[in-house]
Amino acid sequence: MSEEDLSSNHSAPDQDCSYYIGYNIKYVAKHGRRYPTDPFSIREVGVYQHFSSSGQRCQWVFLQAPDQLKDRLRSNLQCFDDNPPMMQVLQHSMLLLEVSEDWREYLVYLEEEFSKIVDRGFFTNVKELHTEGDVQADFSDLRKLHILTDKLLRLAHILKLNIRLGCQLRSGVLDLKMISSPALQISFNEMQGRLDRYVYQQETSLARIETLIARSAGIGQLVQGVQDFRSNEASKHINHEMQRLTEQGIKENALMKRLTEQSTNDTRSMMTIALISAIFLPATFLATLFGSNFFAYSERQNALTVASNFWVYVIITFAFSGSTVILWFVWRRHRVRRSMSDDIEAP
């Protein structure tokens, strides 16, 4: 926060008085780093000056002053060695103007960044891209706008504090001017003019930032409206596709129903055929067996004769039937084990 305190103590109007001035001022300067992409950063310098009327001496304290400002202050303060210490109060106006030089360049950068977002908001296609080179604003642009707006609000707050500081210094200079000698009043008039210029520059910068903040609200609503419109269009398209898929599913369900009914009818037909086959299977087996050469019927003796090699038929039949059952059992067991191993290996 920028704060300033100026007080004086004097015994007679024609005598110098003691005073002290202390404040912090925030300003912008280029950081010279690759990241972040914003080439400027907010910095702060602390200033304290104490003038003792009894010893006619000034004490200065600077905290986190940039190198360029240090060199200029060192040169100016050396020039004041042979002058009254009260004249050193003029350094405050020089300091304020020195640290505020980069505000104009920074505002130009912010206005260019804001113009890019404005262009994307105004010239974006509402529905979709049609030709190469079309601009499309998305959520990232809205996010950039919010970040820029937050930065502008912080800068506006800093400028208001700087303006308040300049006004307080200007008021303090008027108090010192009233108790100073006529020779010093000329210097105080010069300092007051510099402070007026500083306050005017800060107020101009504040007005430009407040204009950007006011415009950002409208641009944000525009980009948000485009996003909402696209979202609604996407929802309509999704609903249309879902309706189409639902209708297609209904048709497929009807087809599956017909196939199921047809499969049921086929199953019933197969059951009927299997039942008829089961009824006639014993008779077919017996007819085949008794019609073979293993059995002979003698009308003279009215008897059924079994061939002596009938045992060959029995042995071969049981052997082939048993082999078939064993092979089926082995194949089924192997299939079950393979299915279990596949289930274990599956993720």
Side-chain angles (χ1 to χ4, degrees):
M1 300 297 178
S2 300
E3 298 180 354
E4 184 269 343
D5 186 9
L6 188 149
S7 64
S8 61
N9 183 16
H10 58 91
S11 57
D14 296 334
Q15 295 179 354
D16 292 336
C17 65
S18 298
Y19 65 87
Y20 62 89
I21 302 175
Y23 55 88
N24 295 335
I25 180 171
K26 290 185 178 181
Y27 62 99
V28 294
K30 290 186 176 181
H31 52 71
R33 298 187 297 269
R34 185 176 180 182
Y35 296 103
T37 56
D38 190 342
F40 292 85
S41 61
I42 299 175
R43 302 182 184 182
E44 186 175 7
V45 59
V47 181
Y48 176 80
Q49 180 201 7
H50 177 255
F51 169 67
S52 175
S53 61
S54 60
Q56 291 294 307
R57 297 186 59 184
C58 271
Q59 293 181 346
W60 287 86
V61 178
F62 298 97
L63 300 177
Q64 297 181 348
D67 295 336
Q68 183 178 358
L69 181 60
K70 288 180 181 178
D71 296 337
R72 186 166 181 180
L73 287 172
R74 188 179 296 109
S75 175
N76 291 347
L77 292 177
Q78 288 176 356
C79 295
F80 280 115
D81 288 343
D82 299 330
N83 295 328
M86 196 171 185
M87 289 284 293
Q88 297 186 18
V89 73
L90 302 178
Q91 294 302 303
H92 293 283
S93 60
M94 181 278 299
L95 186 146
L96 294 179
L97 292 174
E98 178 74 20
V99 298
S100 62
E101 289 182 353
D102 290 336
W103 275 104
R104 179 177 298 178
E105 185 178 358
Y106 188 37
L107 289 177
V108 171
Y109 167 78
L110 293 177
E111 289 172 347
E112 291 178 353
E113 292 296 317
F114 184 78
S115 297
K116 294 178 182 178
I117 301 177
V118 171
D119 292 341
R120 293 182 65 85
F122 278 122
F123 299 107
T124 183
N125 288 308
V126 178
K127 292 186 177 180
E128 59 184 5
L129 300 180
H130 297 285
T131 59
E132 184 178 358
D134 286 347
V135 180
Q136 182 176 7
D138 51 21
F139 177 77
S140 62
D141 297 311
L142 193 61
R143 177 176 175 271
K144 291 178 182 178
L145 182 61
H146 287 172
I147 294 175
L148 181 59
T149 303
D150 180 72
K151 185 183 298 183
L152 292 174
L153 291 173
R154 289 188 288 114
L155 293 176
H157 178 67
I158 292 173
L159 287 173
K160 289 178 181 179
L161 294 177
N162 290 346
I163 293 172
R164 178 184 174 187
L165 171 63
C167 293
Q168 290 180 346
L169 277 175
R170 187 168 54 186
S171 176
V173 169
L174 291 176
D175 294 338
L176 291 176
K177 180 181 176 181
M178 294 175 60
I179 62 174
S180 63
S181 62
L184 291 177
Q185 289 183 1
I186 299 176
S187 299
F188 282 124
N189 289 334
E190 181 182 356
M191 180 178 178
Q192 187 175 1
R194 292 180 180 178
L195 290 175
D196 290 338
R197 186 174 64 176
Y198 169 76
V199 172
Y200 175 77
Q201 291 177 354
Q202 297 294 293
E203 289 177 346
T204 303
S205 300
L206 178 61
R208 294 171 65 179
I209 288 180
E210 289 178 343
T211 301
L212 292 178
I213 293 174
R215 293 178 60 192
S216 65
I219 298 301
Q221 293 177 359
L222 175 62
V223 177
Q224 185 64 51
V226 172
Q227 296 295 320
D228 293 340
F229 179 81
R230 290 177 180 170
S231 178
N232 294 333
E233 290 295 321
S235 298
K236 291 180 181 179
H237 179 71
I238 292 174
N239 293 334
H240 177 73
E241 291 296 324
M242 290 297 296
Q243 182 179 1
R244 185 180 63 83
L245 292 175
T246 302
E247 293 175 354
Q248 184 177 357
I250 293 174
K251 294 179 181 179
E252 291 179 354
N253 291 335
L255 178 60
M256 291 298 297
K257 182 179 180 181
R258 289 196 298 269
L259 293 176
T260 302
E261 292 176 352
Q262 184 177 357
S263 177
T264 302
N265 295 331
D266 293 341
T267 302
R268 291 175 181 175
S269 300
M270 292 299 296
M271 290 178 62
T272 302
I273 294 174
L275 179 61
I276 295 174
S277 299
I279 293 173
F280 288 97
L281 183 62
T284 303
F285 171 73
L286 293 176
T288 303
L289 180 63
F290 285 105
S292 63
N293 295 328
F294 292 106
F295 294 93
Y297 178 74
S298 176
E299 294 182 356
R300 182 181 301 177
Q301 298 178 359
N302 194 19
L304 184 65
T305 304
V306 180
S308 60
N309 59 350
F310 181 72
W311 60 272
V312 176
Y313 168 76
V314 175
I315 293 175
I316 293 175
T317 300
F318 277 101
F320 274 96
S321 298
S323 300
T324 303
V325 172
I326 292 173
L327 289 175
W328 173 83
F329 179 77
V330 172
W331 173 81
R332 179 177 176 81
R333 188 174 182 181
H334 175 72
R335 185 178 179 183
V336 171
R337 288 182 177 178
R338 185 175 180 180
S339 177
M340 292 177 62
S341 63
D342 292 341
D343 293 339
I344 294 175
E345 293 177 358

